[in-house]
């Protein structure tokens, strides 16, 4: 990834609930500007944003540390074998389905940010997202369920996609947790 500090975070990653850019971590409540990097996730069903959250790097790593080793290995293998080297939210990073050419109503977008700059982003279509759920152990599914239950507005039947990442710019935050490194430049839960 070639980091472009001049590329602003696109409005599509603004909080729909607050109608402005994310300001605080959805897990710990700290200001995102105090962290080296942060991640924004937004999930859509039937074309509507059904949930959104922003994570500081510490909260992202803490949650991923709770995943089972089996799930981490399954996700790492799947992503290494299937993730395409694409960025942006125009097409699924696994199957290549285009949001523009194929009316896509179920998908998840993730952005990796620093300050007010976008470092990278991806989109995963609903079909690929569902397939990734099969790779998770029951323990990891329970960890994720408890996390999503703690966020306001999450539909009870929602099963978001897991993604992990590798980024030279985030090496310190990722290395200390021993998490799998999959796609350079991006993390999503």
């Amino acid at each position: 990834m070639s980091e472009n500090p001049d590329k602003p975070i696109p409005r599509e990653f603004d909080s729909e609930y607050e109608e402005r850019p994310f300001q605080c971590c959805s897990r710990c409540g700290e200001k995102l500007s105090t962290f080296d990097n942060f991640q924004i996730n937004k999930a859509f069903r039937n074309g509507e944003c059904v949930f959104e959250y922003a994570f500081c790097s510490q909260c992202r790593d803490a949650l991923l540390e709770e995943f089972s080793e089996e799930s981490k290995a399954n996700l790492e293998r799947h992503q290494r074998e299937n993730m395409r080297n694409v960025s942006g939210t125009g097409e699924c990073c696994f199957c290549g389905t285009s949001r523009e050419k194929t009316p896509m109503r179920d998908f998840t977008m993730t952005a990796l940010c620093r300050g007010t700059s976008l470092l990278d982003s991806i989109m995963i279509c609903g079909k690929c997202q569902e397939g990734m759920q099969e790779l998770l152990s029951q323990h990891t599914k329970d960890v994720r369920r408890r996390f999503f239950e703690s966020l306001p507005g999450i539909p009870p039947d929602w099963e978001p996609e897991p993604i992990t990442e590798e980024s030279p710019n985030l090496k310190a935050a990722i290395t200390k947790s021993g998490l799998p490194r999959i796609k350079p430049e991006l993390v999503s839960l």
Side-chain angles (χ1 to χ4, degrees), residues 4-134:
N4 180 357
D6 297 326
K7 184 172 183 175
I9 300 169
R11 291 184 56 87
E12 70 181 337
F13 286 106
D14 282 3
S15 169
E16 309 245 345
Y17 177 74
E18 295 180 356
E19 297 180 343
R20 65 178 184 169
F22 282 93
Q23 305 292 310
C24 297
C25 177
S26 300
R27 193 171 195 205
C28 70
E30 295 293 321
K31 288 198 172 286
L32 294 170
S33 60
T34 64
F35 295 92
D36 184 47
N37 63 75
F38 60 93
Q39 154 188 331
I40 298 169
N41 287 24
K42 294 178 77 170
F44 294 81
R45 270 207 178 149
N46 296 318
E48 280 187 54
C49 183
V50 293
F51 78 81
E52 59 183 25
Y53 60 89
F55 265 171
C56 67
S57 56
Q58 291 174 344
C59 285
R60 175 197 61 221
D61 291 350
L63 184 63
L64 288 173
E65 284 180 28
E66 295 180 45
F67 282 22
S68 72
E69 292 304 316
E70 173 190 0
S71 293
K72 290 177 191 179
N74 287 344
L75 292 171
E76 180 178 4
R77 184 188 71 257
H78 174 73
Q79 293 175 6
R80 184 179 56 249
E81 294 173 0
N82 299 295
M83 187 173 269
R84 299 165 56 246
N85 189 21
V86 297
S87 292
T89 60
E91 63 184 272
C92 177
C93 65
F94 285 101
C95 70
T97 300
S98 166
R99 281 177 57 196
E100 185 177 309
K101 294 179 183 173
T102 307
M104 191 174 303
R105 305 204 30 91
D106 295 349
F107 59 94
T108 303
M109 302 185 312
T110 299
L112 185 64
C113 308
R114 176 175 292 135
T116 59
S117 298
L118 177 71
L119 301 179
D120 200 0
S121 62
I122 61 168
M123 185 271 291
I124 299 178
C125 73
K127 184 177 178 184
C128 290
Q129 177 180 317
E130 289 173 20
M132 291 179 72
Q133 291 302 307
E134 300 302 315

Side-chain angles (χ1 to χ4, degrees), residues 138-189:
Q138 188 58 51
H139 169 81
T140 299
K141 288 179 182 179
D142 290 343
V143 167
R144 294 167 57 80
R145 179 186 45 77
R146 285 190 302 272
F147 164 69
F148 286 105
E149 286 174 352
S150 72
L151 292 177
I154 305 295
D157 63 341
W158 180 255
E159 289 291 334
E161 89 297 341
I163 305 171
T164 56
E165 68 92 17
E166 173 181 356
S167 174
N169 297 316
L170 304 178
K171 200 163 268 207
I174 301 301
T175 301
K176 69 180 174 129
S177 67
L179 298 175
R181 295 195 170 100
I182 312 303
K183 181 188 186 293
E185 302 94 43
L186 197 58
V187 171
S188 174
L189 295 176

